Structures are given as C-alpha cells and as structure tokens.
Amino acid sequence: MQLSNSSQYAIRILAYMADNKDSKLLNATELAKTLYIPYKFLTKIMTELVKSGLVVSIRGRDGGYKFEKKTSEIMVSDILAIFNDSIKNEQCVLGIGFCNGLCKCALHDQWIEPKHLLQKMFQESSLEDIAGKGCKI
Amino acid sequence: MQLSNSSQYAIRILAYMADNKDSKLLNATELAKTLYIPYKFLTKIMTELVKSGLVVSIRGRDGGYKFEKKTSEIMVSDILAIFNDSIKNEQCVLGIGFCNGLCKCALHDQWIEPKHLLQKMFQESSLEDIAGKGCKI
DNA sequence: AATTAATTCTACCTTTAAGTAGTATTTATA
DNA sequence: TATAAATACTACTTAAAGGTAGAATTAATT
C-alpha cells in the first residue's frame, strides 16, 4: 500500500526544486547527492519529467533542470499520472475488475472515503503548496 | 498504491469462507474455481493462512479448510500482517525513513488523515462484518 | 578546435512479486 | 491394502520494478 519508488522520488525531487526555484539551474549530480537518490535512476526519472512537460532540461555544460510550468500549476496527481500511480475512481481495494454499486467488493463501502481523501490530497496539493514544507531527504 | 495480490486474494478467500462457514469444509479446487484465483497460487496462500493460525486444514480425502478462530475475531488487518502489507504509523507517503513531527516530509500533514482512515478500515473490519457484503469474484 | 560538464539513449543487470510444476504426504473409503 | 482426493513441500519460471553501465549528444569555455 504505497507509491512506487519512481513516484516517491519524483515528488521529492520536484518539491526540492520548488524550494529552490529561484536559484540557478539544478543539475542531476546535485539533486542525487542532496536527496540521496541513485544518480542513474534520478536521471531516468528526470527524463520522464522532461518528456511529460513538467520540467525543461538544458543540455551541455552548465546545464540542468528547471520548471516548464508554474509550481502552482503542477499538482502531485500530475506527477503520479506520469508513473501510472494515479488512484482511479474505479480502483477496487480488493482488485476486483468492476467493483461498483451493482457488484461491489466486501470492502467497497469502507474504501470510498479513504480513497477520496487520497485523491483529494494528490489533486489539491500543488508544488507551490508543499514547497518549503518539511525536509526533503 | 494498492495491496499485494496475495493480500487481495487472501481477503477475498476468507470473506467467501465467512459467507459459507456453516457449510462443509471448503477445498482448494472449489475456492479456486469460484473465486477465479489460480489454483496453485491459492494453495500457497492457504498454507500461509494455516501457518498463521487463522485457518485449519484437514488433509487427505474429503479434506479442506475451515476457520480456526471466530470470524468476529479475525480482522482484515490480521490478514494484511501475514503478507507484510500492514499500514504502519510511521509509514511515510514519500518513503522517507523517519518521517515524524521533527523531520516530516512535504506531504506529511495531508497524509495523516487518509492513513488513519485506512488503518481504521482494516483494523475495525472483521470477517463477520464483511461476510455477505458484496460479491467475492 | 579541444575540453569539460552536463543530459539522453540503449541496453543490460538485480531483486522481488507473481505464478507454475511436480512430488510427497495424509486420510477416508471401498 | 489399494485407491482416490485432498493439503504440503521444494523448486522453478515469468513478469515487473528497481537500478546500473557505457556511449552518444549537447553546449559553454578556454
């Protein structure tokens, strides 16, 4: 019952970038060291974030990463979507394919509320909201 | 963000057994067919449930499985514990080791409420509670 | 033009979860 | 006692996630 490593790392990376968005470009070496994320895995994740349009990369010497969009416009749910970690409405806690009002699983009713809270937490938290909150390591 | 297949299957199996606890023993072949769970995987899970003391097995011809404890005394959280799927208090949604009041992650505050609801859902749902509720396939 | 420091690409390796196969063991019944 | 039908054990295979390696590409600086 937890997010994939990729999603967790991506959120931490972007939250750290949001903390430091006024500084210069942030590069992979610095991010990996600061956040204790394996360098090669981090670059793989960053490339995904670039392809998804959340971040732009500047290649070559003195290159690095910066935001493509405003941090107030990037929601945590956007990040989860990139790594197929979104919580869908139809997701059943017991993994039954079509768990709905007609054919619902044994925990269907109890699952609705926490599911909605999770969706709300991810959909309503922007990077601006969480910037500066807590430590990132 | 979901339970392991083993946990999902185990809950569905035990919920079905709770639905039918007054009948004869239930055997692996029947359970696998009824619940559309791969037979060999189901027997592996059942052996875990037997070792954990939730279920007893009767070997040999006409054998099968039945509950060891009362269904009112088996909580969904007990099942999750067997498959290392419990939601711990200290579990951080961003995977940071020691996310607490002092050093908390960017989503720490938002995560508390859904986490508690999930824990509550699992800790307060007994097999008796969910027996008869919904379909099990 | 060469060097250096950065991202990107392709391919691979490792670990874990998920699932399968085959055999051994157990026990009721004919 | 032989047979049939059940669980249990050991070992293996497959698929997906997590992570790594090395070369290619890019661009600023000397």
Side-chain angles (χ1 to χ4, degrees):
Chain A
M1 204 70 174
Q2 56 181 18
L3 300 173
S4 67
N5 279 14
S6 294
S7 290
Q8 293 181 348
Y9 285 154
I11 297 169
R12 286 174 49 209
I13 293 165
L14 293 172
Y16 178 81
M17 285 178 64
D19 285 354
N20 297 85
K21 77 171 143 95
D22 297 325
S23 72
K24 61 186 184 330
L25 291 180
L26 294 167
N27 65 55
T29 306
E30 177 184 347
L31 289 171
K33 273 191 187 142
T34 309
L35 300 172
Y36 299 97
I37 297 172
Y39 171 80
K40 282 287 194 177
F41 197 27
L42 181 137
T43 59
K44 186 187 253 184
I45 290 169
M46 293 312 293
T47 302
E48 291 290 305
L49 297 178
V50 169
K51 283 181 180 163
S52 306
L54 266 52
V55 158
V56 288
S57 63
I58 314 295
R59 295 179 67 164
R61 183 167 167 176
D62 298 340
Y65 303 98
K66 66 178 179 184
F67 285 109
E68 167 84 339
K69 305 162 71 173
K70 282 196 280 185
T71 53
S72 61
E73 289 169 354
I74 300 177
M75 300 296 165
V76 173
S77 55
D78 299 329
I79 305 166
L80 299 187
I82 295 168
F83 301 97
N84 288 311
D85 247 338
S86 300
I87 298 181
K88 308 255 169 49
N89 270 319
E90 60 272 21
Q91 181 182 329
C92 169
V93 69
L94 297 187
I96 293 177
F98 41 94
C99 180
N100 53 39
L102 289 164
C103 171
K104 61 188 191 182
C105 83
L107 286 171
H108 183 85
D109 295 339
Q110 296 96 311
W111 169 234
I112 290 177
E113 195 183 348
K115 179 175 64 177
H116 282 165
L117 267 181
L118 289 168
Q119 291 179 315
K120 188 175 150 74
M121 155 168 88
F122 294 138
Q123 283 166 8
E124 298 184 358
S125 298
S126 74
L127 288 179
E128 185 179 55
D129 293 334
I130 66 177
K133 301 268 182 62
C135 56
K136 301 294 179 298
I137 57 158
Chain B
M1 202 69 173
Q2 56 182 19
L3 300 173
S4 67
N5 279 14
S6 295
S7 288
Q8 292 181 350
Y9 284 155
I11 296 169
R12 286 175 49 212
I13 293 164
L14 293 172
Y16 177 81
M17 286 179 64
D19 284 354
N20 298 85
K21 76 170 146 95
D22 296 326
S23 73
K24 61 187 187 330
L25 290 180
L26 294 167
N27 66 54
T29 306
E30 177 184 348
L31 290 170
K33 273 191 186 140
T34 308
L35 299 172
Y36 299 97
I37 297 173
Y39 172 80
K40 282 287 194 177
F41 197 27
L42 181 136
T43 59
K44 188 187 251 185
I45 289 169
M46 293 312 293
T47 302
E48 290 291 305
L49 297 178
V50 169
K51 283 181 180 163
S52 306
L54 266 51
V55 159
V56 288
S57 63
I58 313 294
R59 296 180 66 164
R61 182 166 165 174
D62 298 339
Y65 303 98
K66 66 179 179 183
F67 285 109
E68 166 83 340
K69 305 162 70 172
K70 282 196 281 188
T71 54
S72 61
E73 290 170 353
I74 299 177
M75 300 297 164
V76 173
S77 54
D78 299 328
I79 304 166
L80 299 187
I82 295 168
F83 300 97
N84 287 311
D85 248 339
S86 300
I87 299 181
K88 308 254 170 51
N89 269 319
E90 59 272 22
Q91 182 180 328
C92 168
V93 69
L94 297 187
I96 294 178
F98 41 94
C99 180
N100 53 38
L102 289 163
C103 170
K104 61 188 190 181
C105 83
L107 286 171
H108 183 84
D109 296 339
Q110 295 97 310
W111 168 236
I112 290 176
E113 196 183 347
K115 179 174 66 179
H116 282 166
L117 267 180
L118 289 168
Q119 292 178 314
K120 188 175 151 74
M121 156 169 87
F122 294 138
Q123 284 166 6
E124 297 184 358
S125 299
S126 73
L127 289 179
E128 184 179 56
D129 294 333
I130 67 178
K133 301 267 181 64
C135 57
K136 302 295 180 297
I137 57 159

PDB file of all heavy atoms in Angstrom, chain B residues 13-14 17 26 45-58 64-69 74 82 127, chain D residues 8:
ATOM      1  N   ILE B  13     -10.725 -14.685  -0.329  1.00  0.00           N
ATOM      2  CA  ILE B  13     -10.918 -16.090   0.042  1.00  0.00           C
ATOM      3  C   ILE B  13     -11.595 -16.191   1.404  1.00  0.00           C
ATOM      4  O   ILE B  13     -12.591 -16.900   1.571  1.00  0.00           O
ATOM      5  CB  ILE B  13      -9.557 -16.828   0.096  1.00  0.00           C
ATOM      6  CG1 ILE B  13      -8.943 -16.929  -1.296  1.00  0.00           C
ATOM      7  CG2 ILE B  13      -9.731 -18.216   0.699  1.00  0.00           C
ATOM      8  CD1 ILE B  13      -7.459 -17.295  -1.283  1.00  0.00           C
ATOM      9  N   LEU B  14     -11.053 -15.469   2.367  1.00  0.00           N
ATOM     10  CA  LEU B  14     -11.574 -15.577   3.724  1.00  0.00           C
ATOM     11  C   LEU B  14     -12.971 -14.978   3.831  1.00  0.00           C
ATOM     12  O   LEU B  14     -13.805 -15.467   4.594  1.00  0.00           O
ATOM     13  CB  LEU B  14     -10.604 -14.910   4.708  1.00  0.00           C
ATOM     14  CG  LEU B  14      -9.255 -15.628   4.830  1.00  0.00           C
ATOM     15  CD1 LEU B  14      -8.273 -14.831   5.661  1.00  0.00           C
ATOM     16  CD2 LEU B  14      -9.446 -17.016   5.447  1.00  0.00           C
ATOM     17  N   MET B  17     -15.154 -17.629   2.533  1.00  0.00           N
ATOM     18  CA  MET B  17     -15.285 -18.683   3.539  1.00  0.00           C
ATOM     19  C   MET B  17     -16.220 -18.246   4.663  1.00  0.00           C
ATOM     20  O   MET B  17     -16.984 -19.061   5.194  1.00  0.00           O
ATOM     21  CB  MET B  17     -13.906 -19.048   4.099  1.00  0.00           C
ATOM     22  CG  MET B  17     -13.039 -19.854   3.153  1.00  0.00           C
ATOM     23  SD  MET B  17     -11.408 -20.234   3.859  1.00  0.00           S
ATOM     24  CE  MET B  17     -11.854 -21.271   5.272  1.00  0.00           C
ATOM     25  N   LEU B  26     -14.396 -26.314   2.960  1.00  0.00           N
ATOM     26  CA  LEU B  26     -14.199 -25.785   1.610  1.00  0.00           C
ATOM     27  C   LEU B  26     -12.815 -26.203   1.142  1.00  0.00           C
ATOM     28  O   LEU B  26     -11.840 -26.055   1.874  1.00  0.00           O
ATOM     29  CB  LEU B  26     -14.314 -24.265   1.648  1.00  0.00           C
ATOM     30  CG  LEU B  26     -15.715 -23.737   1.998  1.00  0.00           C
ATOM     31  CD1 LEU B  26     -15.663 -22.253   2.319  1.00  0.00           C
ATOM     32  CD2 LEU B  26     -16.673 -24.002   0.846  1.00  0.00           C
ATOM     33  N   ILE B  45      -1.210 -19.592  -0.757  1.00  0.00           N
ATOM     34  CA  ILE B  45      -1.759 -18.618   0.181  1.00  0.00           C
ATOM     35  C   ILE B  45      -2.434 -19.325   1.361  1.00  0.00           C
ATOM     36  O   ILE B  45      -2.253 -18.942   2.521  1.00  0.00           O
ATOM     37  CB  ILE B  45      -2.772 -17.699  -0.543  1.00  0.00           C
ATOM     38  CG1 ILE B  45      -2.024 -16.767  -1.502  1.00  0.00           C
ATOM     39  CG2 ILE B  45      -3.602 -16.904   0.446  1.00  0.00           C
ATOM     40  CD1 ILE B  45      -2.927 -16.006  -2.451  1.00  0.00           C
ATOM     41  N   MET B  46      -3.188 -20.382   1.063  1.00  0.00           N
ATOM     42  CA  MET B  46      -3.893 -21.090   2.131  1.00  0.00           C
ATOM     43  C   MET B  46      -2.911 -21.658   3.152  1.00  0.00           C
ATOM     44  O   MET B  46      -3.171 -21.613   4.363  1.00  0.00           O
ATOM     45  CB  MET B  46      -4.747 -22.224   1.551  1.00  0.00           C
ATOM     46  CG  MET B  46      -5.926 -21.769   0.702  1.00  0.00           C
ATOM     47  SD  MET B  46      -6.947 -20.478   1.435  1.00  0.00           S
ATOM     48  CE  MET B  46      -7.679 -21.333   2.829  1.00  0.00           C
ATOM     49  N   THR B  47      -1.793 -22.174   2.662  1.00  0.00           N
ATOM     50  CA  THR B  47      -0.791 -22.710   3.577  1.00  0.00           C
ATOM     51  C   THR B  47      -0.280 -21.618   4.523  1.00  0.00           C
ATOM     52  O   THR B  47      -0.059 -21.869   5.716  1.00  0.00           O
ATOM     53  CB  THR B  47       0.368 -23.334   2.783  1.00  0.00           C
ATOM     54  OG1 THR B  47      -0.156 -24.362   1.938  1.00  0.00           O
ATOM     55  CG2 THR B  47       1.408 -23.947   3.701  1.00  0.00           C
ATOM     56  N   GLU B  48      -0.133 -20.408   4.011  1.00  0.00           N
ATOM     57  CA  GLU B  48       0.260 -19.281   4.860  1.00  0.00           C
ATOM     58  C   GLU B  48      -0.803 -19.006   5.926  1.00  0.00           C
ATOM     59  O   GLU B  48      -0.482 -18.743   7.081  1.00  0.00           O
ATOM     60  CB  GLU B  48       0.430 -18.016   4.016  1.00  0.00           C
ATOM     61  CG  GLU B  48       1.632 -18.027   3.091  1.00  0.00           C
ATOM     62  CD  GLU B  48       2.941 -17.949   3.842  1.00  0.00           C
ATOM     63  OE1 GLU B  48       3.103 -17.005   4.627  1.00  0.00           O
ATOM     64  OE2 GLU B  48       3.774 -18.858   3.661  1.00  0.00           O
ATOM     65  N   LEU B  49      -2.043 -19.048   5.486  1.00  0.00           N
ATOM     66  CA  LEU B  49      -3.130 -18.753   6.419  1.00  0.00           C
ATOM     67  C   LEU B  49      -3.223 -19.830   7.506  1.00  0.00           C
ATOM     68  O   LEU B  49      -3.551 -19.533   8.659  1.00  0.00           O
ATOM     69  CB  LEU B  49      -4.465 -18.642   5.664  1.00  0.00           C
ATOM     70  CG  LEU B  49      -4.545 -17.503   4.641  1.00  0.00           C
ATOM     71  CD1 LEU B  49      -5.889 -17.525   3.910  1.00  0.00           C
ATOM     72  CD2 LEU B  49      -4.342 -16.150   5.318  1.00  0.00           C
ATOM     73  N   VAL B  50      -2.906 -21.067   7.133  1.00  0.00           N
ATOM     74  CA  VAL B  50      -2.899 -22.149   8.110  1.00  0.00           C
ATOM     75  C   VAL B  50      -1.761 -21.936   9.108  1.00  0.00           C
ATOM     76  O   VAL B  50      -1.950 -22.006  10.325  1.00  0.00           O
ATOM     77  CB  VAL B  50      -2.749 -23.513   7.410  1.00  0.00           C
ATOM     78  CG1 VAL B  50      -2.471 -24.614   8.420  1.00  0.00           C
ATOM     79  CG2 VAL B  50      -4.005 -23.830   6.591  1.00  0.00           C
ATOM     80  N   LYS B  51      -0.570 -21.643   8.577  1.00  0.00           N
ATOM     81  CA  LYS B  51       0.583 -21.429   9.458  1.00  0.00           C
ATOM     82  C   LYS B  51       0.365 -20.268  10.412  1.00  0.00           C
ATOM     83  O   LYS B  51       0.913 -20.245  11.510  1.00  0.00           O
ATOM     84  CB  LYS B  51       1.837 -21.155   8.616  1.00  0.00           C
ATOM     85  CG  LYS B  51       2.428 -22.403   7.993  1.00  0.00           C
ATOM     86  CD  LYS B  51       3.689 -22.050   7.205  1.00  0.00           C
ATOM     87  CE  LYS B  51       4.296 -23.304   6.575  1.00  0.00           C
ATOM     88  NZ  LYS B  51       5.255 -22.976   5.497  1.00  0.00           N
ATOM     89  N   SER B  52      -0.408 -19.292   9.955  1.00  0.00           N
ATOM     90  CA  SER B  52      -0.660 -18.108  10.782  1.00  0.00           C
ATOM     91  C   SER B  52      -1.757 -18.346  11.812  1.00  0.00           C
ATOM     92  O   SER B  52      -2.030 -17.471  12.628  1.00  0.00           O
ATOM     93  CB  SER B  52      -1.035 -16.928   9.898  1.00  0.00           C
ATOM     94  OG  SER B  52      -0.057 -16.734   8.913  1.00  0.00           O
ATOM     95  N   GLY B  53      -2.416 -19.498  11.722  1.00  0.00           N
ATOM     96  CA  GLY B  53      -3.397 -19.834  12.743  1.00  0.00           C
ATOM     97  C   GLY B  53      -4.786 -19.274  12.517  1.00  0.00           C
ATOM     98  O   GLY B  53      -5.643 -19.370  13.392  1.00  0.00           O
ATOM     99  N   LEU B  54      -5.041 -18.691  11.351  1.00  0.00           N
ATOM    100  CA  LEU B  54      -6.381 -18.189  11.076  1.00  0.00           C
ATOM    101  C   LEU B  54      -7.296 -19.313  10.627  1.00  0.00           C
ATOM    102  O   LEU B  54      -8.506 -19.275  10.851  1.00  0.00           O
ATOM    103  CB  LEU B  54      -6.330 -17.117   9.978  1.00  0.00           C
ATOM    104  CG  LEU B  54      -6.231 -15.653  10.407  1.00  0.00           C
ATOM    105  CD1 LEU B  54      -5.096 -15.474  11.383  1.00  0.00           C
ATOM    106  CD2 LEU B  54      -6.032 -14.754   9.194  1.00  0.00           C
ATOM    107  N   VAL B  55      -6.705 -20.310   9.987  1.00  0.00           N
ATOM    108  CA  VAL B  55      -7.460 -21.362   9.327  1.00  0.00           C
ATOM    109  C   VAL B  55      -6.836 -22.694   9.700  1.00  0.00           C
ATOM    110  O   VAL B  55      -5.633 -22.770   9.956  1.00  0.00           O
ATOM    111  CB  VAL B  55      -7.382 -21.120   7.790  1.00  0.00           C
ATOM    112  CG1 VAL B  55      -7.684 -22.378   7.016  1.00  0.00           C
ATOM    113  CG2 VAL B  55      -8.320 -19.987   7.367  1.00  0.00           C
ATOM    114  N   VAL B  56      -7.649 -23.733   9.761  1.00  0.00           N
ATOM    115  CA  VAL B  56      -7.079 -25.070   9.907  1.00  0.00           C
ATOM    116  C   VAL B  56      -7.345 -25.848   8.645  1.00  0.00           C
ATOM    117  O   VAL B  56      -8.351 -25.630   7.959  1.00  0.00           O
ATOM    118  CB  VAL B  56      -7.659 -25.850  11.110  1.00  0.00           C
ATOM    119  CG1 VAL B  56      -7.139 -25.278  12.397  1.00  0.00           C
ATOM    120  CG2 VAL B  56      -9.159 -25.865  11.061  1.00  0.00           C
ATOM    121  N   SER B  57      -6.421 -26.743   8.329  1.00  0.00           N
ATOM    122  CA  SER B  57      -6.591 -27.575   7.145  1.00  0.00           C
ATOM    123  C   SER B  57      -6.808 -29.015   7.571  1.00  0.00           C
ATOM    124  O   SER B  57      -6.221 -29.468   8.553  1.00  0.00           O
ATOM    125  CB  SER B  57      -5.361 -27.480   6.250  1.00  0.00           C
ATOM    126  OG  SER B  57      -4.234 -27.982   6.924  1.00  0.00           O
ATOM    127  N   ILE B  58      -7.669 -29.681   6.847  1.00  0.00           N
ATOM    128  CA  ILE B  58      -7.859 -31.119   7.033  1.00  0.00           C
ATOM    129  C   ILE B  58      -7.288 -31.777   5.800  1.00  0.00           C
ATOM    130  O   ILE B  58      -7.775 -31.523   4.684  1.00  0.00           O
ATOM    131  CB  ILE B  58      -9.357 -31.476   7.166  1.00  0.00           C
ATOM    132  CG1 ILE B  58     -10.052 -30.527   8.140  1.00  0.00           C
ATOM    133  CG2 ILE B  58      -9.522 -32.926   7.572  1.00  0.00           C
ATOM    134  CD1 ILE B  58      -9.613 -30.617   9.553  1.00  0.00           C
ATOM    135  N   GLY B  64     -10.038 -30.204   3.469  1.00  0.00           N
ATOM    136  CA  GLY B  64     -10.339 -28.834   3.071  1.00  0.00           C
ATOM    137  C   GLY B  64      -9.920 -27.875   4.164  1.00  0.00           C
ATOM    138  O   GLY B  64      -9.060 -28.191   4.987  1.00  0.00           O
ATOM    139  N   TYR B  65     -10.545 -26.717   4.148  1.00  0.00           N
ATOM    140  CA  TYR B  65     -10.171 -25.676   5.104  1.00  0.00           C
ATOM    141  C   TYR B  65     -11.400 -25.192   5.871  1.00  0.00           C
ATOM    142  O   TYR B  65     -12.527 -25.189   5.354  1.00  0.00           O
ATOM    143  CB  TYR B  65      -9.554 -24.477   4.374  1.00  0.00           C
ATOM    144  CG  TYR B  65      -8.356 -24.820   3.525  1.00  0.00           C
ATOM    145  CD1 TYR B  65      -8.489 -25.020   2.157  1.00  0.00           C
ATOM    146  CD2 TYR B  65      -7.090 -24.929   4.090  1.00  0.00           C
ATOM    147  CE1 TYR B  65      -7.390 -25.320   1.371  1.00  0.00           C
ATOM    148  CE2 TYR B  65      -5.981 -25.232   3.319  1.00  0.00           C
ATOM    149  CZ  TYR B  65      -6.142 -25.417   1.952  1.00  0.00           C
ATOM    150  OH  TYR B  65      -5.053 -25.724   1.185  1.00  0.00           O
ATOM    151  N   LYS B  66     -11.156 -24.771   7.094  1.00  0.00           N
ATOM    152  CA  LYS B  66     -12.197 -24.089   7.883  1.00  0.00           C
ATOM    153  C   LYS B  66     -11.510 -23.126   8.828  1.00  0.00           C
ATOM    154  O   LYS B  66     -10.284 -23.187   9.014  1.00  0.00           O
ATOM    155  CB  LYS B  66     -13.042 -25.102   8.649  1.00  0.00           C
ATOM    156  CG  LYS B  66     -12.263 -25.839   9.729  1.00  0.00           C
ATOM    157  CD  LYS B  66     -13.140 -26.818  10.490  1.00  0.00           C
ATOM    158  CE  LYS B  66     -12.303 -27.560  11.545  1.00  0.00           C
ATOM    159  NZ  LYS B  66     -13.095 -28.583  12.261  1.00  0.00           N
ATOM    160  N   PHE B  67     -12.299 -22.270   9.446  1.00  0.00           N
ATOM    161  CA  PHE B  67     -11.703 -21.281  10.338  1.00  0.00           C
ATOM    162  C   PHE B  67     -11.210 -21.908  11.635  1.00  0.00           C
ATOM    163  O   PHE B  67     -11.837 -22.830  12.165  1.00  0.00           O
ATOM    164  CB  PHE B  67     -12.724 -20.180  10.662  1.00  0.00           C
ATOM    165  CG  PHE B  67     -12.938 -19.220   9.531  1.00  0.00           C
ATOM    166  CD1 PHE B  67     -14.122 -19.230   8.809  1.00  0.00           C
ATOM    167  CD2 PHE B  67     -11.945 -18.321   9.189  1.00  0.00           C
ATOM    168  CE1 PHE B  67     -14.312 -18.348   7.753  1.00  0.00           C
ATOM    169  CE2 PHE B  67     -12.138 -17.436   8.139  1.00  0.00           C
ATOM    170  CZ  PHE B  67     -13.323 -17.456   7.425  1.00  0.00           C
ATOM    171  N   GLU B  68     -10.112 -21.381  12.123  1.00  0.00           N
ATOM    172  CA  GLU B  68      -9.581 -21.792  13.423  1.00  0.00           C
ATOM    173  C   GLU B  68     -10.172 -20.889  14.509  1.00  0.00           C
ATOM    174  O   GLU B  68     -10.461 -21.323  15.599  1.00  0.00           O
ATOM    175  CB  GLU B  68      -8.051 -21.671  13.408  1.00  0.00           C
ATOM    176  CG  GLU B  68      -7.363 -21.742  14.743  1.00  0.00           C
ATOM    177  CD  GLU B  68      -7.138 -23.158  15.230  1.00  0.00           C
ATOM    178  OE1 GLU B  68      -7.835 -24.072  14.723  1.00  0.00           O
ATOM    179  OE2 GLU B  68      -6.279 -23.350  16.103  1.00  0.00           O
ATOM    180  N   LYS B  69     -10.333 -19.611  14.145  1.00  0.00           N
ATOM    181  CA  LYS B  69     -10.882 -18.646  15.093  1.00  0.00           C
ATOM    182  C   LYS B  69     -12.272 -18.204  14.637  1.00  0.00           C
ATOM    183  O   LYS B  69     -12.672 -18.454  13.499  1.00  0.00           O
ATOM    184  CB  LYS B  69      -9.960 -17.409  15.180  1.00  0.00           C
ATOM    185  CG  LYS B  69      -8.533 -17.743  15.515  1.00  0.00           C
ATOM    186  CD  LYS B  69      -7.591 -16.608  15.164  1.00  0.00           C
ATOM    187  CE  LYS B  69      -7.765 -15.401  16.082  1.00  0.00           C
ATOM    188  NZ  LYS B  69      -6.696 -14.391  15.836  1.00  0.00           N
ATOM    189  N   ILE B  74     -11.376 -12.234  13.579  1.00  0.00           N
ATOM    190  CA  ILE B  74     -10.353 -12.075  12.541  1.00  0.00           C
ATOM    191  C   ILE B  74     -10.570 -10.744  11.835  1.00  0.00           C
ATOM    192  O   ILE B  74     -11.602 -10.537  11.186  1.00  0.00           O
ATOM    193  CB  ILE B  74     -10.406 -13.226  11.510  1.00  0.00           C
ATOM    194  CG1 ILE B  74     -10.159 -14.561  12.205  1.00  0.00           C
ATOM    195  CG2 ILE B  74      -9.385 -12.998  10.406  1.00  0.00           C
ATOM    196  CD1 ILE B  74     -10.256 -15.756  11.271  1.00  0.00           C
ATOM    197  N   ILE B  82       0.008 -10.802   7.757  1.00  0.00           N
ATOM    198  CA  ILE B  82       0.623 -12.052   7.299  1.00  0.00           C
ATOM    199  C   ILE B  82       1.442 -11.825   6.034  1.00  0.00           C
ATOM    200  O   ILE B  82       2.492 -12.437   5.841  1.00  0.00           O
ATOM    201  CB  ILE B  82      -0.477 -13.107   7.045  1.00  0.00           C
ATOM    202  CG1 ILE B  82      -1.171 -13.451   8.359  1.00  0.00           C
ATOM    203  CG2 ILE B  82       0.100 -14.345   6.371  1.00  0.00           C
ATOM    204  CD1 ILE B  82      -2.435 -14.254   8.184  1.00  0.00           C
ATOM    205  N   LEU B 127     -14.064 -10.317   9.637  1.00  0.00           N
ATOM    206  CA  LEU B 127     -14.658 -11.147   8.581  1.00  0.00           C
ATOM    207  C   LEU B 127     -16.160 -11.297   8.787  1.00  0.00           C
ATOM    208  O   LEU B 127     -16.912 -11.395   7.828  1.00  0.00           O
ATOM    209  CB  LEU B 127     -13.974 -12.514   8.551  1.00  0.00           C
ATOM    210  CG  LEU B 127     -12.540 -12.490   8.026  1.00  0.00           C
ATOM    211  CD1 LEU B 127     -11.933 -13.884   8.052  1.00  0.00           C
ATOM    212  CD2 LEU B 127     -12.498 -11.933   6.601  1.00  0.00           C
TER     213      LEU B 127
ATOM    214  P    DA D   8      -2.151 -27.547   4.142  1.00  0.00           P
ATOM    215  OP1  DA D   8      -2.074 -27.379   5.597  1.00  0.00           O
ATOM    216  OP2  DA D   8      -2.366 -26.380   3.267  1.00  0.00           O
ATOM    217  O5'  DA D   8      -0.824 -28.281   3.666  1.00  0.00           O
ATOM    218  C5'  DA D   8      -0.313 -29.360   4.449  1.00  0.00           C
ATOM    219  C4'  DA D   8       1.137 -29.637   4.067  1.00  0.00           C
ATOM    220  O4'  DA D   8       1.183 -30.219   2.737  1.00  0.00           O
ATOM    221  C3'  DA D   8       2.041 -28.408   4.027  1.00  0.00           C
ATOM    222  O3'  DA D   8       3.254 -28.768   4.688  1.00  0.00           O
ATOM    223  C2'  DA D   8       2.229 -28.124   2.551  1.00  0.00           C
ATOM    224  C1'  DA D   8       2.104 -29.512   1.926  1.00  0.00           C
ATOM    225  N9   DA D   8       1.533 -29.532   0.582  1.00  0.00           N
ATOM    226  C8   DA D   8       0.384 -28.916   0.145  1.00  0.00           C
ATOM    227  N7   DA D   8       0.105 -29.132  -1.122  1.00  0.00           N
ATOM    228  C5   DA D   8       1.131 -29.946  -1.555  1.00  0.00           C
ATOM    229  C6   DA D   8       1.426 -30.531  -2.810  1.00  0.00           C
ATOM    230  N6   DA D   8       0.660 -30.367  -3.896  1.00  0.00           N
ATOM    231  N1   DA D   8       2.530 -31.286  -2.897  1.00  0.00           N
ATOM    232  C2   DA D   8       3.300 -31.442  -1.805  1.00  0.00           C
ATOM    233  N3   DA D   8       3.132 -30.950  -0.575  1.00  0.00           N
ATOM    234  C4   DA D   8       2.020 -30.203  -0.520  1.00  0.00           C
TER     235       DA D   8
END
